[in-house]
Amino acid sequence: MNLKKVTFGLIMICMMFNLFYMVARASYGESNFNKIDEIVKEHIGNDVPGACVIVKKNGETMFQKAYGYANLEDKKSIELDKTVFEWGSISKTFIWISLIQLEEKGIIKFDEDVRAYLPKDFLKNLKYESKVTVLDLMNHTAGFEDYFNDIRMTDKEAFQPLSKTLMDKQPLQVYEPGELSGYSNWGAALGALIVERSSEMEYSEYVRKNILIPLELEEVSIHPFGKDISGLYENKATGYSKKKNGLEDAGWMHLSVFPAGSFNGTALDLAKYADALANRSELLFKDNKVFLDELLSSVTLTGQGEVKYGFWRYPGKDSIYGHEGGTYGFKTQIWFNLKTKESITIIVNAMDSLIFSEIMTSLEPIELYEDKGSIPLDKYEIKSIVGDYIPARSVYSNPTKIYGDLQLISIRQVDEERISLKMPFFKKKAIYEYKGDGIFYNPDMPLQERIIRFKKNDDKMIINYRIAHDYVPAPNNRTFFYIILRIVLLSISILYFVISFILGVKKYRGNRNRKQKRKCLLRMGISITFIIMVLQSGYFFFGCLSTYNVQSIHLTITRYSNTVLSLLGLLFAILYMYKNPEIKKNDVLAMILYVISIYIFIEYKFLII
């Protein structure tokens, strides 16, 4: 027998086997789609009112289906080609694609200082000498704090040019550029401003001309109030949030930094966009360098979460990238496989649900560590990872920093091979096994929470949790112990001054002695100033921060009025002590609680000091 023929035949058999394996491994089948049906039907009517799931490959639709209602009140069914959804932060990917296009044309450079593309002295709050690059904006490594002020608009007339919005509302830079990933709407919108100035076109005009029209997505809206598409709201779904008594209308989101999250469109339109990314469409890209060679070759490691050019890499998959979007009443995800050219689009008109994790793990199971045993923790610096951590995506400059504290996670050692992760303010706790290289794993957790990765950066331990979000060690004054201590002391103070005010009123009414009445009034003045401070600060937190509706004017009024009230309370205290030289134990306790409470207000930026 001819040796060459035998060799050639064996090679062909191996190639055919590999090809068959790749197709069988990569492609989704009827069983996958039946599973999607089962998963979605379990959630419809419980934590989501409606959903859309679309799977495409090479431009062909493998599976598409709409479930449930666009509006629960009217029982209006979702239609894939008509019902409009908020795409949330998937809007950011249009900024990334725009920047990639401009880089391909040689108009910008990813490693260039962003100030080269902005007006002189535009960035007012830079702290570090290291340059912020275009790529830093894309990967959220510019070091900006999070920023909630005026992010949600309620008045159509409040909409203003992007440059003015970004100029007027600038966050602090709190981390060295490139140090870690702190998700930033403001930073993403700054990338859109670079698109505007580099292309000499308004951002929405650039995107429409260079992305939407080429992909035949003319009905996608960019404007935060949908003014660019007539009749948009006629077919828009209602967004819901889950409350104790069921699903409630959460309202529509109108983002002031609109490029970061204001796109609206149908599920079919979003799926068409995801398919174009999966196929590295020549309608979008001059060549495939970024979306093939660069995107597949390396990633920006922020722990287990891997970010490249703004896109998130799917856990354990070297060729699947995507992004998530969430507004107050909608949530979306797109994932695309650059090797198999498959894409997955999921949209629901509710914010929080496990439906995404369940669908994705049914299609793309994470098979990283199931067959790998745990490793004793004495091989890793356990002492350096145990502690409390706050998200890098936190506010530092105003009272909304409370939101970062509430997302604190506590890491504790369980035994020689495991740690526990606890989010004490969200009643979440899970046990993770150590798998080596700083990675801890729990196969029973949702997709974005299965892996925790620890990475040391200049003597600072950084945790990546939830794919593209870094957590940093909590400063001493923001650890769980001190947060609870503040809550306890503030609660005691509130109780004390409320009781003190009630008793003071009774004593004032029952006393005919003028001197004693003046004494009662001063004590009541101290109590009432404190109570008003607590009430208006509480209103700010529960009424504004919880709905992303922090208005600068409201915040300013709250802080200044709190400052005036605190000084007024101190004045009442001084007058009280002056009029009553013989200080009693109860008076000392009142002064101590008042001073401690004022310190807590200062810590959380509720006072102008």
Side-chain angles (χ1 to χ4, degrees):
M1 185 178 290
N2 190 310
L3 183 60
K4 289 183 178 181
K5 290 183 178 181
V6 172
T7 304
F8 178 77
L10 289 173
I11 291 174
M12 291 301 295
I13 291 172
C14 290
M15 289 178 64
M16 291 298 292
F17 175 80
N18 286 334
L19 181 61
F20 172 79
Y21 174 78
M22 288 174 64
V23 172
R25 182 74 178 87
S27 296
Y28 311 124
E30 195 65 31
S31 60
N32 297 111
F33 304 141
N34 290 336
K35 183 63 176 177
I36 290 174
D37 258 340
E38 294 175 11
I39 292 170
V40 177
K41 288 174 182 177
E42 288 179 2
H43 288 273
I44 293 295
N46 294 316
D47 54 354
V48 297
C52 300
V53 183
I54 303 173
V55 181
K56 298 175 78 72
K57 180 173 182 177
N58 284 324
E60 299 296 325
T61 300
M62 302 173 69
F63 176 85
Q64 65 177 31
K65 196 167 182 179
Y67 304 81
Y69 297 110
N71 183 292
L72 289 174
E73 290 73 22
D74 300 333
K75 299 297 181 183
K76 186 177 180 180
S77 297
I78 289 176
E79 298 179 71
L80 291 171
D81 61 338
K82 291 182 180 179
T83 305
V84 173
F85 296 87
E86 293 177 359
W87 292 1
S89 286
I90 287 180
S91 307
K92 293 180 177 67
T93 66
F94 288 83
I95 303 174
W96 314 150
I97 298 303
S98 300
L99 291 169
I100 289 170
Q101 290 177 341
L102 293 172
E103 194 273 343
E104 286 184 333
K105 295 173 183 177
I107 298 175
I108 66 168
K109 293 181 180 179
F110 288 141
D111 60 355
E112 181 63 83
D113 191 321
V114 296
R115 287 174 290 190
Y117 307 115
L118 298 171
K120 186 178 180 181
D121 299 325
F122 185 86
L123 298 178
K124 298 179 290 187
N125 294 331
L126 294 182
K127 178 182 178 181
Y128 298 93
E129 293 183 2
S130 303
K131 67 180 181 181
V132 175
T133 67
V134 174
L135 199 57
D136 282 326
L137 297 181
M138 299 172 77
N139 291 338
H140 301 284
T141 54
F144 297 128
E145 67 170 335
D146 204 2
Y147 200 75
F148 291 142
N149 294 21
D150 304 312
I151 196 170
R152 190 173 186 178
M153 294 185 293
T154 56
D155 182 6
K156 294 182 181 180
E157 304 306 318
F159 179 72
Q160 56 187 5
L162 181 60
S163 58
K164 180 169 176 52
T165 298
L166 295 176
M167 172 64 85
D168 292 346
K169 314 293 182 185
Q170 295 198 20
L172 299 178
Q173 187 182 42
V174 293
Y175 299 110
E176 185 92 28
E179 181 181 0
L180 46 80
S181 180
Y183 196 84
S184 173
N185 285 309
W186 192 90
L190 189 64
L193 182 60
I194 290 175
V195 173
E196 280 195 351
R197 292 181 57 81
S198 300
S199 66
E200 299 181 346
M201 302 169 65
E202 286 192 5
Y203 174 72
S204 56
E205 181 185 355
Y206 178 90
V207 171
R208 193 161 295 284
K209 179 180 178 181
N210 293 279
I211 301 177
L212 298 182
I213 291 177
L215 295 181
E216 298 181 355
L217 303 176
E218 290 90 343
E219 296 303 309
V220 172
S221 172
I222 304 172
H223 192 280
F225 288 97
K227 287 185 176 181
D228 50 348
I229 302 295
S230 61
L232 177 80
Y233 290 154
E234 294 176 7
N235 293 311
K236 187 168 178 177
T238 302
Y240 295 88
S241 59
K242 190 174 182 180
K243 305 293 182 182
K244 290 182 178 180
N245 58 342
L247 294 166
E248 293 184 4
D249 187 342
W252 291 335
M253 178 73 84
H254 308 292
L255 212 61
S256 59
V257 285
F258 69 94
S262 285
F263 279 54
N264 280 252
T266 67
L268 285 185
D269 281 343
L270 184 56
K272 187 183 290 187
Y273 173 63
D275 180 66
L277 296 177
N279 287 276
R280 304 180 295 279
S281 173
E282 60 184 21
L283 297 173
L284 294 179
F285 307 109
K286 182 179 178 181
D287 58 50
N288 289 330
K289 181 180 179 182
V290 169
F291 254 62
L292 184 60
D293 300 335
E294 295 292 330
L295 204 59
L296 293 181
S297 64
S298 61
V299 290
T300 298
L301 292 178
T302 58
Q304 161 265 347
E306 300 168 346
V307 184
K308 192 68 173 178
Y309 299 104
F311 290 92
W312 304 351
R313 193 170 89 168
Y314 192 87
K317 309 287 184 176
D318 63 359
S319 63
I320 301 179
Y321 284 83
H323 209 284
E324 181 177 271
T327 60
Y328 208 62
F330 296 84
K331 193 169 184 178
T332 57
Q333 279 187 7
I334 58 171
W335 297 98
F336 51 92
N337 192 320
L338 293 172
K339 289 183 178 178
T340 66
K341 299 183 179 181
E342 293 163 322
S343 66
I344 303 161
T345 301
I346 310 170
I347 303 182
V348 301
N349 53 336
M351 179 53 183
D352 295 313
S353 175
L354 292 175
I355 191 171
F356 295 89
S357 174
E358 293 173 12
I359 290 174
M360 286 307 302
T361 50
S362 73
L363 292 172
E364 292 290 346
I366 302 174
E367 300 168 345
L368 286 173
Y369 306 108
E370 277 77 358
D371 298 328
K372 184 178 181 179
S374 57
I375 298 174
L377 282 168
D378 59 359
K379 293 185 179 181
Y380 193 74
E381 298 176 357
I382 183 62
K383 290 183 180 180
S384 66
I385 68 173
V386 168
D388 295 337
Y389 296 79
I390 58 174
R393 184 188 183 181
S394 289
V395 176
Y396 288 79
S397 58
N398 64 58
T400 55
K401 66 183 290 186
I402 295 174
Y403 187 69
D405 286 359
L406 294 179
Q407 294 187 79
L408 175 141
I409 60 176
S410 294
I411 302 295
R412 300 292 182 264
Q413 183 175 6
V414 176
D415 54 35
E416 293 183 352
E417 300 174 346
R418 300 179 300 165
I419 62 169
S420 69
L421 179 148
K422 185 177 181 181
M423 297 188 75
F425 299 107
F426 288 90
K427 298 180 180 179
K428 178 179 290 187
K429 184 177 181 180
I431 306 297
Y432 289 78
E433 288 187 346
Y434 184 51
K435 300 297 182 178
D437 298 323
I439 294 175
F440 292 80
Y441 186 65
N442 182 332
D444 299 321
M445 294 299 288
L447 168 66
Q448 294 180 319
E449 300 175 14
R450 289 192 179 188
I451 302 172
I452 313 172
R453 182 167 181 171
F454 293 82
K455 183 183 178 183
K456 206 163 189 176
N457 189 351
D458 294 332
D459 296 325
K460 180 189 292 184
M461 187 61 69
I462 296 174
I463 299 181
N464 182 261
Y465 181 56
R466 295 177 172 169
I467 296 188
H469 298 281
D470 286 343
Y471 280 68
V472 296
N476 290 333
N477 64 349
R478 296 183 73 177
T479 61
F480 179 66
F481 171 79
Y482 279 101
I483 293 172
I484 293 298
L485 181 62
R486 288 194 192 100
I487 292 173
V488 170
L489 290 173
L490 196 57
S491 299
I492 291 172
S493 298
I494 293 170
L495 183 62
Y496 176 88
F497 285 111
V498 168
I499 293 174
S500 177
F501 179 75
I502 294 171
L503 294 177
V505 171
K506 289 183 177 180
K507 193 172 183 181
Y508 179 83
R509 288 179 174 178
N511 202 319
R512 295 185 178 182
N513 185 298
R514 288 187 177 182
K515 185 177 180 180
Q516 290 298 319
K517 280 197 168 189
R518 285 197 296 268
K519 182 179 177 181
C520 289
L521 285 173
L522 289 172
R523 284 295 299 265
M524 289 163 60
I526 297 171
S527 297
I528 196 64
T529 54
F530 177 79
I531 292 169
I532 294 173
M533 286 171 58
V534 170
L535 288 174
Q536 66 180 11
S537 299
Y539 173 75
F540 170 82
F541 176 72
F542 293 105
C544 300
L545 180 58
S546 61
T547 59
Y548 287 90
N549 195 23
V550 179
Q551 301 298 317
S552 290
I553 184 65
H554 180 203
L555 177 58
T556 301
I557 291 172
T558 300
R559 296 182 73 193
Y560 273 100
S561 60
N562 275 349
T563 303
V564 171
L565 286 167
S566 66
L567 293 174
L568 189 60
L570 288 173
L571 177 61
F572 288 148
I574 292 170
L575 289 173
Y576 180 85
M577 289 186 289
Y578 177 77
K579 297 287 185 180
N580 302 277
E582 297 181 3
I583 304 298
K584 298 179 180 179
K585 289 182 180 180
N586 186 43
D587 299 328
V588 174
L589 176 61
M591 292 305 103
I592 291 174
L593 290 176
Y594 194 84
V595 171
I596 289 174
S597 299
I598 293 299
Y599 173 76
I600 293 173
F601 275 85
I602 292 172
E603 279 282 292
Y604 281 105
K605 312 293 184 181
F606 275 110
L607 298 178
I608 305 295
I609 295 179

